[in-house]
Amino acid sequence: MKVLVAVKRVVDFNVKVRVKADHSGVDLANVKMALNPFCEIAVEEAVRLKEQGIASEVLVVTVGASGAQEQLRTALALGADRAILVESFEELNSLAVAKALKAVVDKEQPQLVILGKQAIDSDNN
């Protein structure tokens, strides 16, 4: 069984965030980024399924800028077999991410998709 896990790149939970001068959002310049903790739990659960012999492959996917490769490498270090980055250079809303994930699911045909509970930055789920 192929398991697909969606992961998100977020500001590290230990970092104190700063608001941009124009109050349009969070200032991400020189801020440490990390794998969303709830996504990390989802990856760990998929790896457990593989270790139990239930899953044959764990595939992680994220949508975002090329900097998200660092979080994909983290997921690979946790035990995922493959990683896919759907590169996007624009600000993404939930619908755009959902459409991108659906396209990956349609192409990869996993038997199980695991998602984290929510994102710690936007609180989306």
Side-chain angles (χ1 to χ4, degrees), residues 41-55:
I41 292 167
V43 172
E44 289 171 354
E45 185 57 34
V47 170
R48 279 191 206 108
L49 290 173
K50 184 177 174 194
E51 289 170 349
Q52 294 170 1
I54 298 169

Side-chain angles (χ1 to χ4, degrees), residues 1 43 62 109:
M1 169 172 66
V43 172
T62 192
Q109 296 293 306

Side-chain angles (χ1 to χ4, degrees), residues 16 21 30 37 42-43 55 71 77 82 92 104 108 110 113-114 120-121:
K16 184 176 179 185
N30 300 319
V43 172
Q71 284 63 48
R82 286 193 302 135
L92 296 168
V104 172
E108 291 291 332
V113 176
I114 302 177
I120 63 169
D121 58 354

Side-chain angles (χ1 to χ4, degrees), residues 28-43:
L28 298 178
N30 300 319
V31 173
K32 182 180 178 203
M33 303 299 278
L35 186 62
N36 183 52
F38 295 113
C39 296
E40 187 173 341
I41 292 167
V43 172

Side-chain angles (χ1 to χ4, degrees), residues 26 47 60 67 96 105:
V26 176
V47 170
V60 292
V105 168

